[in-house]
Amino acid sequence: MKGKQERSNGYGVGVVTGILATALVFSGAWTGKILYDNNKAQSAAVSGASEGESVVNSGTISKIAAIETMVNERFYFGDVGEEELQKGICSGMIEALDDKYAAYYTAEELKEQWEKNEGIYYGIGAYVSLDEDTQTPYVSGVIEGTPAQEADLRMGDIIYAVDGTKTFQMSLDEVTALIKGEEGTHVTLTLVRGEEVFDQDVVRRRVDRPTVTSRMLDEEIGYIGISEFKDVTVDQFTEAYAVIKGSDAKALVLDLRGNPGGLLDAVVDIGRQILPEGLVVYTEDKNGKRVEYDCDGEKEIDIPMVVLVNGGSASAAEVLTGAIKDYGVGTVMGTTTYGKGIVQKIIALSDGSAIKLTTDGYFTPKGNNIHGKGIEPDIVVEFDAEAYYAEEPVDNQLEAAKEYLGKRLHG
């Protein structure tokens, strides 16, 4: 049974999603990598720009130097390292953008991000989302065979505190920073589940997991679930799809529930295996520059398909869902998706650090930008958490998909 479903505690569906490993999942539709020489940029800003054209000017540099001197001379709680101060300066500039998706990464943090894209994780094996209405973090998915599942963490569990530190109104980065840690160490989560409040101890360890799962639901209907779009996802999907087709499947369930997004190349390459000829998606930057990603249509799916989505289906998951819906090659079922129609790119600086910056908006083949709106399903099926966690669990959304496809096949 797939380890991600709709929230069960009644809060809104607006979320920001992360994974509890050494780094967050990139919840953008995709991330690109750009190298930028920060030393040259600083020199140009200081020597070539007049006052007011750049924040990196002689006045700003003098002020930073004065603050550093005061901190070193007067800060009561002791010395602060040069690296910590530099990180604070860079992080502060990104925070001034008031963009929850933007971030500054040290060289070490950037390395963890790239490792994550290769499928390397060290953590508890759970997804965490942030309810934007209540500013409350909660468990939005649990990966099978991980410490989170072994500790019986459940979708919808509110994370009230981490090792005694309350999480209310923390950013997702701050919450996950508290939970992640060295392999073999323990973290105590204070969880709210319905009316119950309790502490749960979880051991951190390496989490090896596929991003694609598949099986035959019966003799006619195949199932493929995609948890994220990463470097490894395309090959995993290609193999799973070949096995499903080789099993003579007459219909397919594509499960994107709880999928927070991922990489452009991955979602486009997967789209090219099932979509007709035409656009998969296109992007536009703030100057109106458009970049198109198309499909030759040679592998268009020719069997009925249901795409399962929910409020945790975001970004790249919405790219694929939007294209499938625009072309009518599948029926979207579940609840409204998250609604993230913007793109982040990783811009690596020459000293090994990097920033993640929102650079573009993306649009479905018919020109729809779903940012802030999400994708409405063709058939609404609310998630039944009580049935899912019963002694004999039932995934009512998956059962609805099977029933619908059965009718399509047999009338």
Side-chain angles (χ1 to χ4, degrees), residues 212-226:
V212 176
T213 56
S214 65
R215 63 186 184 275
M216 291 296 293
L217 298 174
D218 57 30
E219 293 182 354
E220 296 184 308
I221 303 174
Y223 170 94
I224 298 178
I226 306 177

Side-chain angles (χ1 to χ4, degrees), residues 214-224 244 247-254 303-306 398-410:
S214 65
R215 63 186 184 275
M216 291 296 293
L217 298 174
D218 57 30
E219 293 182 354
E220 296 184 308
I221 303 174
Y223 170 94
I224 298 178
I244 292 295
S247 300
D248 199 27
K250 303 294 191 301
L252 175 67
V253 175
L254 179 61
I303 58 176
M305 175 172 58
V306 165
L398 182 58
E399 290 302 314
K402 289 171 59 180
E403 181 180 358
Y404 173 83
L405 290 172
K407 291 180 179 178
R408 285 283 306 272
L409 292 174
H410 302 293

Side-chain angles (χ1 to χ4, degrees), residues 6 257 305-310 321 325 330-337 375-383 396-408:
E6 195 72 59
R257 291 174 294 177
M305 175 172 58
V306 165
V307 182
L308 288 177
V309 295
N310 64 7
T321 302
K325 185 170 184 177
T331 301
V332 180
M333 182 179 292
T335 54
T336 304
T337 63
I375 299 172
E376 296 286 342
D378 299 309
I379 301 174
V380 176
V381 180
E382 298 288 345
F383 174 60
N396 72 296
Q397 291 174 323
L398 182 58
E399 290 302 314
K402 289 171 59 180
E403 181 180 358
Y404 173 83
L405 290 172
K407 291 180 179 178
R408 285 283 306 272

Side-chain angles (χ1 to χ4, degrees), residues 30-206:
W30 52 81
T31 55
K33 184 177 181 181
I34 302 170
L35 180 62
Y36 198 83
D37 192 330
N38 45 301
N39 295 317
K40 291 180 180 178
Q42 178 179 328
S43 298
V46 174
S47 63
S50 61
E51 295 293 329
E53 290 183 349
S54 171
V55 296
V56 184
N57 54 46
S58 58
T60 304
I61 293 173
S62 296
K63 183 181 289 188
I64 291 172
I67 293 173
E68 181 182 17
T69 298
M70 284 186 280
V71 168
N72 290 335
E73 291 179 354
R74 301 192 174 205
F75 185 53
Y76 178 76
F77 292 106
D79 295 334
V80 181
E82 179 182 351
E83 185 175 337
E84 286 77 12
L85 288 176
Q86 288 180 350
K87 181 179 180 180
I89 293 169
C90 298
S91 297
M93 184 175 291
I94 297 301
E95 289 174 7
L97 302 177
D98 194 25
D99 178 4
K100 63 192 174 190
Y101 300 109
Y104 169 77
Y105 299 121
T106 64
E108 181 179 353
E109 290 167 342
L110 181 62
K111 180 175 180 290
E112 291 174 349
Q113 295 288 350
W114 298 137
E115 287 179 345
K116 176 195 62 58
N117 280 334
E118 296 170 357
I120 302 172
Y121 298 90
Y122 296 90
I124 67 171
Y127 291 88
V128 164
S129 298
L130 188 67
D131 188 296
E132 294 184 338
D133 294 329
T134 64
Q135 290 299 296
T136 305
Y138 66 93
V139 177
S140 57
V142 177
I143 302 168
E144 294 182 7
T146 64
Q149 185 185 52
E150 294 162 8
D152 195 32
L153 268 64
R154 298 183 181 181
M155 293 167 290
D157 285 348
I158 296 172
I159 304 174
Y160 178 77
V162 180
D163 285 335
T165 300
K166 294 180 181 178
T167 60
F168 177 64
Q169 290 193 329
M170 279 189 175
S171 69
L172 188 63
D173 283 353
E174 291 170 331
V175 175
T176 54
L178 290 175
I179 298 174
K180 68 186 181 183
E182 296 294 326
E183 184 176 12
T185 60
H186 293 242
V187 60
T188 300
L189 305 179
T190 302
L191 302 174
V192 180
R193 181 181 297 166
E195 301 298 322
E196 184 182 6
V197 180
F198 59 96
D199 289 338
Q200 182 63 57
D201 185 72
V202 189
V203 180
R204 305 174 177 107
R205 70 169 185 251
R206 180 182 175 117

